[in-house]
Amino acid sequence: MVSKLYALSWREAKQSENENWSGYAYAGIPLLISSTHAFIVEYECELRPNSGFQRIDALDALLEQRYGVTGSLLEDFKDLIELRNELAHPLHHPLGTPDNWPEYLRRVKALGLLNSTGRPDGDYDLLSQIASHRLFRWAMEVVKRVFHAIVNSDPQRAPLFKDRLSNFEAPWFPTSDSDEAMSVLLNLA
């Protein structure tokens, strides 16, 4: 589903004035977080009904403590969670920053992925900045790296889940934004 949304995002962005604007990021980013959550439940419970795994309260802490996700990958994933939170619970008043971007997501803005005027003294509202195909592409790559970290965290269980990583390869996962790759994604059932 997320790959299909990504392809639709690519098409929408390609038709936009800045070749980046896409509202599909609004759906794709939350789905990526949800799919990570669902995969962890599957990874922990498949073929181990008595694993003792109960629930996920803090996804980022679980990734760090149980699967060894650290450094920039963990920071990127934390930023994705915050972006999802902004999409699920948007503020309906100005953020109080000249560029309408929260300080706690400043790392994301510095990556140059957003829809932005580039002006530090005035920018689009937060949701318009998030409506970005480049941001969606980055989010897809972050989640791909997280899934790999989860699967590879336990060498004994890794063989059971390595095949699931094929979902992060062409044609199901965008390996490029070429017309050909996106055409294939758009035509998949």
Side-chain angles (χ1 to χ4, degrees):
M1 174 61 113
V2 175
S3 292
K4 187 76 158 192
L5 285 172
Y6 181 85
L8 293 168
S9 173
W10 168 83
R11 184 169 61 192
E12 186 170 63
K14 193 173 179 180
Q15 295 170 354
S16 72
E17 188 175 320
N18 68 356
E19 297 186 348
N20 186 45
W21 196 96
S22 171
Y24 287 97
Y26 298 151
I29 290 171
L31 277 174
L32 286 168
I33 300 298
S34 295
S35 68
T36 303
H37 185 279
F39 181 70
I40 288 172
V41 171
E42 187 177 319
Y43 180 83
E44 290 295 331
C45 298
E46 188 170 304
L47 303 176
R48 296 190 314 183
N50 298 322
S51 70
F53 188 76
Q54 295 295 316
R55 57 187 247 191
I56 300 172
D57 291 321
L59 189 54
D60 55 335
L62 182 68
L63 288 172
E64 182 177 23
Q65 295 163 7
R66 198 165 180 113
Y67 306 112
V69 175
T70 60
S72 64
L73 179 55
L74 182 61
E75 293 305 311
D76 288 348
F77 197 82
K78 286 178 180 180
D79 288 341
L80 276 180
I81 290 171
E82 291 299 336
L83 286 164
R84 185 271 322 263
N85 292 345
E86 288 292 346
L87 291 167
H89 312 288
L91 293 175
H92 298 288
H93 58 82
L95 293 171
T97 58
D99 64 352
N100 295 313
W101 193 253
E103 292 301 327
Y104 60 88
L105 282 171
R106 195 60 54 188
R107 281 180 70 249
V108 174
K109 185 139 190 177
L111 295 173
L113 303 169
L114 306 173
N115 280 323
S116 175
T117 62
R119 293 180 39 209
D121 62 337
D123 212 330
Y124 304 122
D125 65 83
L126 176 87
L127 291 177
S128 294
Q129 291 183 63
I130 291 174
S132 163
H133 181 69
R134 288 189 303 266
L135 180 65
F136 195 176
R137 180 183 320 130
W138 171 80
M140 296 276 286
E141 286 298 324
V142 169
V143 169
K144 175 182 178 177
R145 291 172 38 223
V146 165
F147 270 63
H148 277 267
I150 293 167
V151 168
N152 293 315
S153 67
D154 181 349
Q156 291 181 333
R157 291 188 56 75
L160 298 171
F161 292 91
K162 288 274 188 195
D163 66 318
R164 313 278 170 81
L165 297 177
S166 67
N167 291 324
F168 292 101
E169 298 170 7
W172 298 105
F173 189 82
T175 54
S176 79
D177 275 2
S178 71
D179 288 350
E180 181 181 349
M182 291 300 109
S183 177
V184 169
L185 267 176
L186 286 167
N187 289 314
L188 290 173

PDB file of all heavy atoms in Angstrom, residues 148-176:
ATOM      1  N   HIS A 148      15.535  -3.682   8.182  1.00  0.00           N
ATOM      2  CA  HIS A 148      16.768  -4.475   8.076  1.00  0.00           C
ATOM      3  C   HIS A 148      17.406  -4.656   9.450  1.00  0.00           C
ATOM      4  O   HIS A 148      17.888  -5.756   9.772  1.00  0.00           O
ATOM      5  CB  HIS A 148      17.750  -3.823   7.097  1.00  0.00           C
ATOM      6  CG  HIS A 148      17.470  -4.149   5.673  1.00  0.00           C
ATOM      7  ND1 HIS A 148      18.052  -5.202   5.014  1.00  0.00           N
ATOM      8  CD2 HIS A 148      16.654  -3.559   4.775  1.00  0.00           C
ATOM      9  CE1 HIS A 148      17.611  -5.254   3.774  1.00  0.00           C
ATOM     10  NE2 HIS A 148      16.747  -4.260   3.602  1.00  0.00           N
ATOM     11  N   ALA A 149      17.429  -3.614  10.255  1.00  0.00           N
ATOM     12  CA  ALA A 149      18.011  -3.703  11.595  1.00  0.00           C
ATOM     13  C   ALA A 149      17.236  -4.687  12.462  1.00  0.00           C
ATOM     14  O   ALA A 149      17.844  -5.477  13.207  1.00  0.00           O
ATOM     15  CB  ALA A 149      18.045  -2.318  12.249  1.00  0.00           C
ATOM     16  N   ILE A 150      15.919  -4.662  12.373  1.00  0.00           N
ATOM     17  CA  ILE A 150      15.103  -5.584  13.162  1.00  0.00           C
ATOM     18  C   ILE A 150      15.405  -7.020  12.757  1.00  0.00           C
ATOM     19  O   ILE A 150      15.694  -7.878  13.599  1.00  0.00           O
ATOM     20  CB  ILE A 150      13.601  -5.268  13.004  1.00  0.00           C
ATOM     21  CG1 ILE A 150      13.262  -3.918  13.623  1.00  0.00           C
ATOM     22  CG2 ILE A 150      12.742  -6.385  13.622  1.00  0.00           C
ATOM     23  CD1 ILE A 150      11.886  -3.384  13.243  1.00  0.00           C
ATOM     24  N   VAL A 151      15.340  -7.302  11.478  1.00  0.00           N
ATOM     25  CA  VAL A 151      15.573  -8.670  10.989  1.00  0.00           C
ATOM     26  C   VAL A 151      16.969  -9.159  11.361  1.00  0.00           C
ATOM     27  O   VAL A 151      17.142 -10.302  11.786  1.00  0.00           O
ATOM     28  CB  VAL A 151      15.343  -8.756   9.464  1.00  0.00           C
ATOM     29  CG1 VAL A 151      15.850 -10.084   8.905  1.00  0.00           C
ATOM     30  CG2 VAL A 151      13.869  -8.565   9.145  1.00  0.00           C
ATOM     31  N   ASN A 152      17.950  -8.297  11.233  1.00  0.00           N
ATOM     32  CA  ASN A 152      19.334  -8.713  11.481  1.00  0.00           C
ATOM     33  C   ASN A 152      19.747  -8.644  12.947  1.00  0.00           C
ATOM     34  O   ASN A 152      20.885  -8.980  13.278  1.00  0.00           O
ATOM     35  CB  ASN A 152      20.281  -7.878  10.623  1.00  0.00           C
ATOM     36  CG  ASN A 152      20.089  -8.184   9.152  1.00  0.00           C
ATOM     37  OD1 ASN A 152      19.998  -9.342   8.754  1.00  0.00           O
ATOM     38  ND2 ASN A 152      20.010  -7.151   8.337  1.00  0.00           N
ATOM     39  N   SER A 153      18.830  -8.246  13.831  1.00  0.00           N
ATOM     40  CA  SER A 153      19.177  -8.116  15.246  1.00  0.00           C
ATOM     41  C   SER A 153      19.364  -9.463  15.937  1.00  0.00           C
ATOM     42  O   SER A 153      20.045  -9.546  16.953  1.00  0.00           O
ATOM     43  CB  SER A 153      18.106  -7.302  15.984  1.00  0.00           C
ATOM     44  OG  SER A 153      16.882  -8.028  16.028  1.00  0.00           O
ATOM     45  N   ASP A 154      18.770 -10.495  15.406  1.00  0.00           N
ATOM     46  CA  ASP A 154      18.871 -11.829  16.000  1.00  0.00           C
ATOM     47  C   ASP A 154      19.257 -12.822  14.912  1.00  0.00           C
ATOM     48  O   ASP A 154      18.407 -13.225  14.111  1.00  0.00           O
ATOM     49  CB  ASP A 154      17.532 -12.215  16.633  1.00  0.00           C
ATOM     50  CG  ASP A 154      17.547 -13.580  17.303  1.00  0.00           C
ATOM     51  OD1 ASP A 154      18.522 -14.356  17.126  1.00  0.00           O
ATOM     52  OD2 ASP A 154      16.568 -13.885  18.006  1.00  0.00           O
ATOM     53  N   PRO A 155      20.530 -13.213  14.861  1.00  0.00           N
ATOM     54  CA  PRO A 155      20.993 -14.116  13.800  1.00  0.00           C
ATOM     55  C   PRO A 155      20.219 -15.435  13.721  1.00  0.00           C
ATOM     56  O   PRO A 155      20.093 -16.008  12.644  1.00  0.00           O
ATOM     57  CB  PRO A 155      22.460 -14.373  14.162  1.00  0.00           C
ATOM     58  CG  PRO A 155      22.853 -13.229  15.023  1.00  0.00           C
ATOM     59  CD  PRO A 155      21.606 -12.814  15.756  1.00  0.00           C
ATOM     60  N   GLN A 156      19.668 -15.903  14.840  1.00  0.00           N
ATOM     61  CA  GLN A 156      18.903 -17.155  14.817  1.00  0.00           C
ATOM     62  C   GLN A 156      17.539 -16.979  14.168  1.00  0.00           C
ATOM     63  O   GLN A 156      17.046 -17.881  13.509  1.00  0.00           O
ATOM     64  CB  GLN A 156      18.744 -17.707  16.233  1.00  0.00           C
ATOM     65  CG  GLN A 156      20.049 -18.210  16.819  1.00  0.00           C
ATOM     66  CD  GLN A 156      19.850 -18.781  18.209  1.00  0.00           C
ATOM     67  OE1 GLN A 156      18.934 -18.395  18.936  1.00  0.00           O
ATOM     68  NE2 GLN A 156      20.727 -19.697  18.596  1.00  0.00           N
ATOM     69  N   ARG A 157      16.920 -15.823  14.338  1.00  0.00           N
ATOM     70  CA  ARG A 157      15.594 -15.583  13.756  1.00  0.00           C
ATOM     71  C   ARG A 157      15.679 -14.955  12.364  1.00  0.00           C
ATOM     72  O   ARG A 157      14.716 -15.013  11.606  1.00  0.00           O
ATOM     73  CB  ARG A 157      14.769 -14.687  14.676  1.00  0.00           C
ATOM     74  CG  ARG A 157      14.391 -15.400  15.961  1.00  0.00           C
ATOM     75  CD  ARG A 157      13.426 -14.652  16.826  1.00  0.00           C
ATOM     76  NE  ARG A 157      12.172 -14.247  16.223  1.00  0.00           N
ATOM     77  CZ  ARG A 157      11.139 -15.034  15.947  1.00  0.00           C
ATOM     78  NH1 ARG A 157      11.210 -16.315  16.194  1.00  0.00           N
ATOM     79  NH2 ARG A 157      10.033 -14.549  15.418  1.00  0.00           N
ATOM     80  N   ALA A 158      16.809 -14.376  12.054  1.00  0.00           N
ATOM     81  CA  ALA A 158      16.955 -13.677  10.766  1.00  0.00           C
ATOM     82  C   ALA A 158      16.554 -14.528   9.574  1.00  0.00           C
ATOM     83  O   ALA A 158      15.841 -14.027   8.688  1.00  0.00           O
ATOM     84  CB  ALA A 158      18.375 -13.152  10.621  1.00  0.00           C
ATOM     85  N   PRO A 159      16.945 -15.807   9.478  1.00  0.00           N
ATOM     86  CA  PRO A 159      16.543 -16.595   8.303  1.00  0.00           C
ATOM     87  C   PRO A 159      15.033 -16.703   8.117  1.00  0.00           C
ATOM     88  O   PRO A 159      14.554 -16.816   6.985  1.00  0.00           O
ATOM     89  CB  PRO A 159      17.166 -17.967   8.564  1.00  0.00           C
ATOM     90  CG  PRO A 159      18.318 -17.699   9.466  1.00  0.00           C
ATOM     91  CD  PRO A 159      17.864 -16.553  10.345  1.00  0.00           C
ATOM     92  N   LEU A 160      14.280 -16.629   9.207  1.00  0.00           N
ATOM     93  CA  LEU A 160      12.820 -16.715   9.109  1.00  0.00           C
ATOM     94  C   LEU A 160      12.210 -15.469   8.483  1.00  0.00           C
ATOM     95  O   LEU A 160      11.092 -15.510   7.965  1.00  0.00           O
ATOM     96  CB  LEU A 160      12.203 -16.905  10.499  1.00  0.00           C
ATOM     97  CG  LEU A 160      12.587 -18.166  11.270  1.00  0.00           C
ATOM     98  CD1 LEU A 160      12.065 -18.093  12.698  1.00  0.00           C
ATOM     99  CD2 LEU A 160      12.027 -19.392  10.562  1.00  0.00           C
ATOM    100  N   PHE A 161      12.932 -14.361   8.532  1.00  0.00           N
ATOM    101  CA  PHE A 161      12.362 -13.079   8.111  1.00  0.00           C
ATOM    102  C   PHE A 161      13.091 -12.417   6.948  1.00  0.00           C
ATOM    103  O   PHE A 161      12.632 -11.398   6.446  1.00  0.00           O
ATOM    104  CB  PHE A 161      12.314 -12.118   9.310  1.00  0.00           C
ATOM    105  CG  PHE A 161      11.327 -12.551  10.346  1.00  0.00           C
ATOM    106  CD1 PHE A 161      11.716 -13.375  11.388  1.00  0.00           C
ATOM    107  CD2 PHE A 161      10.006 -12.174  10.251  1.00  0.00           C
ATOM    108  CE1 PHE A 161      10.798 -13.793  12.333  1.00  0.00           C
ATOM    109  CE2 PHE A 161       9.076 -12.591  11.194  1.00  0.00           C
ATOM    110  CZ  PHE A 161       9.474 -13.406  12.237  1.00  0.00           C
ATOM    111  N   LYS A 162      14.205 -12.986   6.512  1.00  0.00           N
ATOM    112  CA  LYS A 162      14.975 -12.381   5.411  1.00  0.00           C
ATOM    113  C   LYS A 162      14.117 -12.197   4.167  1.00  0.00           C
ATOM    114  O   LYS A 162      14.246 -11.200   3.460  1.00  0.00           O
ATOM    115  CB  LYS A 162      16.213 -13.221   5.074  1.00  0.00           C
ATOM    116  CG  LYS A 162      17.305 -13.156   6.097  1.00  0.00           C
ATOM    117  CD  LYS A 162      18.190 -11.987   5.841  1.00  0.00           C
ATOM    118  CE  LYS A 162      19.383 -12.084   6.771  1.00  0.00           C
ATOM    119  NZ  LYS A 162      20.124 -10.868   6.860  1.00  0.00           N
ATOM    120  N   ASP A 163      13.228 -13.155   3.890  1.00  0.00           N
ATOM    121  CA  ASP A 163      12.391 -13.040   2.692  1.00  0.00           C
ATOM    122  C   ASP A 163      11.465 -11.834   2.748  1.00  0.00           C
ATOM    123  O   ASP A 163      11.089 -11.280   1.722  1.00  0.00           O
ATOM    124  CB  ASP A 163      11.605 -14.328   2.456  1.00  0.00           C
ATOM    125  CG  ASP A 163      10.581 -14.609   3.544  1.00  0.00           C
ATOM    126  OD1 ASP A 163      10.915 -14.412   4.737  1.00  0.00           O
ATOM    127  OD2 ASP A 163       9.463 -15.029   3.201  1.00  0.00           O
ATOM    128  N   ARG A 164      11.100 -11.384   3.946  1.00  0.00           N
ATOM    129  CA  ARG A 164      10.227 -10.211   4.087  1.00  0.00           C
ATOM    130  C   ARG A 164      10.930  -8.941   3.601  1.00  0.00           C
ATOM    131  O   ARG A 164      10.280  -7.986   3.213  1.00  0.00           O
ATOM    132  CB  ARG A 164       9.784 -10.009   5.534  1.00  0.00           C
ATOM    133  CG  ARG A 164       9.296 -11.255   6.221  1.00  0.00           C
ATOM    134  CD  ARG A 164       7.842 -11.588   5.889  1.00  0.00           C
ATOM    135  NE  ARG A 164       7.479 -12.909   6.368  1.00  0.00           N
ATOM    136  CZ  ARG A 164       7.138 -13.221   7.597  1.00  0.00           C
ATOM    137  NH1 ARG A 164       7.104 -12.291   8.515  1.00  0.00           N
ATOM    138  NH2 ARG A 164       6.810 -14.451   7.914  1.00  0.00           N
ATOM    139  N   LEU A 165      12.249  -8.969   3.645  1.00  0.00           N
ATOM    140  CA  LEU A 165      13.003  -7.797   3.199  1.00  0.00           C
ATOM    141  C   LEU A 165      12.903  -7.598   1.689  1.00  0.00           C
ATOM    142  O   LEU A 165      13.202  -6.513   1.194  1.00  0.00           O
ATOM    143  CB  LEU A 165      14.460  -7.898   3.644  1.00  0.00           C
ATOM    144  CG  LEU A 165      14.673  -7.905   5.159  1.00  0.00           C
ATOM    145  CD1 LEU A 165      16.153  -8.072   5.480  1.00  0.00           C
ATOM    146  CD2 LEU A 165      14.109  -6.663   5.811  1.00  0.00           C
ATOM    147  N   SER A 166      12.452  -8.630   0.969  1.00  0.00           N
ATOM    148  CA  SER A 166      12.274  -8.469  -0.484  1.00  0.00           C
ATOM    149  C   SER A 166      11.204  -7.434  -0.797  1.00  0.00           C
ATOM    150  O   SER A 166      11.157  -6.902  -1.910  1.00  0.00           O
ATOM    151  CB  SER A 166      11.940  -9.811  -1.147  1.00  0.00           C
ATOM    152  OG  SER A 166      10.666 -10.263  -0.719  1.00  0.00           O
ATOM    153  N   ASN A 167      10.349  -7.117   0.186  1.00  0.00           N
ATOM    154  CA  ASN A 167       9.360  -6.052  -0.004  1.00  0.00           C
ATOM    155  C   ASN A 167      10.032  -4.700  -0.193  1.00  0.00           C
ATOM    156  O   ASN A 167       9.398  -3.745  -0.616  1.00  0.00           O
ATOM    157  CB  ASN A 167       8.407  -5.984   1.188  1.00  0.00           C
ATOM    158  CG  ASN A 167       7.494  -7.179   1.254  1.00  0.00           C
ATOM    159  OD1 ASN A 167       7.071  -7.696   0.234  1.00  0.00           O
ATOM    160  ND2 ASN A 167       7.206  -7.632   2.461  1.00  0.00           N
ATOM    161  N   PHE A 168      11.311  -4.620   0.158  1.00  0.00           N
ATOM    162  CA  PHE A 168      12.064  -3.373   0.022  1.00  0.00           C
ATOM    163  C   PHE A 168      12.955  -3.383  -1.213  1.00  0.00           C
ATOM    164  O   PHE A 168      13.951  -2.683  -1.275  1.00  0.00           O
ATOM    165  CB  PHE A 168      12.896  -3.120   1.286  1.00  0.00           C
ATOM    166  CG  PHE A 168      12.047  -2.823   2.478  1.00  0.00           C
ATOM    167  CD1 PHE A 168      11.783  -3.796   3.419  1.00  0.00           C
ATOM    168  CD2 PHE A 168      11.479  -1.571   2.644  1.00  0.00           C
ATOM    169  CE1 PHE A 168      10.979  -3.528   4.513  1.00  0.00           C
ATOM    170  CE2 PHE A 168      10.674  -1.289   3.729  1.00  0.00           C
ATOM    171  CZ  PHE A 168      10.423  -2.271   4.669  1.00  0.00           C
ATOM    172  N   GLU A 169      12.586  -4.187  -2.174  1.00  0.00           N
ATOM    173  CA  GLU A 169      13.301  -4.254  -3.445  1.00  0.00           C
ATOM    174  C   GLU A 169      12.310  -4.015  -4.573  1.00  0.00           C
ATOM    175  O   GLU A 169      11.107  -4.171  -4.396  1.00  0.00           O
ATOM    176  CB  GLU A 169      13.965  -5.632  -3.606  1.00  0.00           C
ATOM    177  CG  GLU A 169      14.994  -5.939  -2.534  1.00  0.00           C
ATOM    178  CD  GLU A 169      15.463  -7.388  -2.560  1.00  0.00           C
ATOM    179  OE1 GLU A 169      15.100  -8.130  -3.496  1.00  0.00           O
ATOM    180  OE2 GLU A 169      16.183  -7.771  -1.636  1.00  0.00           O
ATOM    181  N   ALA A 170      12.837  -3.662  -5.744  1.00  0.00           N
ATOM    182  CA  ALA A 170      11.984  -3.479  -6.911  1.00  0.00           C
ATOM    183  C   ALA A 170      11.334  -4.824  -7.238  1.00  0.00           C
ATOM    184  O   ALA A 170      11.937  -5.863  -7.011  1.00  0.00           O
ATOM    185  CB  ALA A 170      12.814  -2.967  -8.082  1.00  0.00           C
ATOM    186  N   PRO A 171      10.134  -4.860  -7.742  1.00  0.00           N
ATOM    187  CA  PRO A 171       9.330  -3.716  -8.148  1.00  0.00           C
ATOM    188  C   PRO A 171       8.484  -3.123  -7.026  1.00  0.00           C
ATOM    189  O   PRO A 171       7.883  -2.082  -7.201  1.00  0.00           O
ATOM    190  CB  PRO A 171       8.417  -4.300  -9.216  1.00  0.00           C
ATOM    191  CG  PRO A 171       8.160  -5.695  -8.748  1.00  0.00           C
ATOM    192  CD  PRO A 171       9.463  -6.132  -8.108  1.00  0.00           C
ATOM    193  N   TRP A 172       8.424  -3.788  -5.854  1.00  0.00           N
ATOM    194  CA  TRP A 172       7.524  -3.346  -4.793  1.00  0.00           C
ATOM    195  C   TRP A 172       8.001  -2.111  -4.072  1.00  0.00           C
ATOM    196  O   TRP A 172       7.213  -1.358  -3.520  1.00  0.00           O
ATOM    197  CB  TRP A 172       7.295  -4.469  -3.781  1.00  0.00           C
ATOM    198  CG  TRP A 172       6.658  -5.640  -4.412  1.00  0.00           C
ATOM    199  CD1 TRP A 172       7.261  -6.822  -4.743  1.00  0.00           C
ATOM    200  CD2 TRP A 172       5.313  -5.746  -4.868  1.00  0.00           C
ATOM    201  NE1 TRP A 172       6.366  -7.648  -5.358  1.00  0.00           N
ATOM    202  CE2 TRP A 172       5.162  -7.014  -5.448  1.00  0.00           C
ATOM    203  CE3 TRP A 172       4.222  -4.891  -4.841  1.00  0.00           C
ATOM    204  CZ2 TRP A 172       3.952  -7.452  -5.985  1.00  0.00           C
ATOM    205  CZ3 TRP A 172       3.025  -5.330  -5.377  1.00  0.00           C
ATOM    206  CH2 TRP A 172       2.901  -6.587  -5.935  1.00  0.00           C
ATOM    207  N   PHE A 173       9.288  -1.909  -4.037  1.00  0.00           N
ATOM    208  CA  PHE A 173       9.847  -0.769  -3.321  1.00  0.00           C
ATOM    209  C   PHE A 173      10.569   0.111  -4.321  1.00  0.00           C
ATOM    210  O   PHE A 173      11.350  -0.390  -5.138  1.00  0.00           O
ATOM    211  CB  PHE A 173      10.830  -1.262  -2.247  1.00  0.00           C
ATOM    212  CG  PHE A 173      11.293  -0.176  -1.316  1.00  0.00           C
ATOM    213  CD1 PHE A 173      10.515   0.203  -0.246  1.00  0.00           C
ATOM    214  CD2 PHE A 173      12.499   0.461  -1.514  1.00  0.00           C
ATOM    215  CE1 PHE A 173      10.933   1.195   0.619  1.00  0.00           C
ATOM    216  CE2 PHE A 173      12.930   1.460  -0.655  1.00  0.00           C
ATOM    217  CZ  PHE A 173      12.143   1.822   0.417  1.00  0.00           C
ATOM    218  N   PRO A 174      10.332   1.413  -4.274  1.00  0.00           N
ATOM    219  CA  PRO A 174      10.988   2.296  -5.251  1.00  0.00           C
ATOM    220  C   PRO A 174      12.491   2.370  -5.004  1.00  0.00           C
ATOM    221  O   PRO A 174      12.933   2.788  -3.945  1.00  0.00           O
ATOM    222  CB  PRO A 174      10.323   3.644  -5.002  1.00  0.00           C
ATOM    223  CG  PRO A 174       9.818   3.567  -3.599  1.00  0.00           C
ATOM    224  CD  PRO A 174       9.490   2.133  -3.340  1.00  0.00           C
ATOM    225  N   THR A 175      13.247   1.894  -5.977  1.00  0.00           N
ATOM    226  CA  THR A 175      14.701   2.000  -5.872  1.00  0.00           C
ATOM    227  C   THR A 175      15.206   3.237  -6.596  1.00  0.00           C
ATOM    228  O   THR A 175      16.366   3.600  -6.452  1.00  0.00           O
ATOM    229  CB  THR A 175      15.377   0.734  -6.438  1.00  0.00           C
ATOM    230  OG1 THR A 175      14.909   0.510  -7.767  1.00  0.00           O
ATOM    231  CG2 THR A 175      15.037  -0.486  -5.578  1.00  0.00           C
ATOM    232  N   SER A 176      14.329   3.844  -7.363  1.00  0.00           N
ATOM    233  CA  SER A 176      14.640   5.117  -8.007  1.00  0.00           C
ATOM    234  C   SER A 176      13.327   5.806  -8.351  1.00  0.00           C
ATOM    235  O   SER A 176      12.270   5.185  -8.313  1.00  0.00           O
ATOM    236  CB  SER A 176      15.478   4.911  -9.269  1.00  0.00           C
ATOM    237  OG  SER A 176      14.666   4.501 -10.352  1.00  0.00           O
TER     238      SER A 176
END
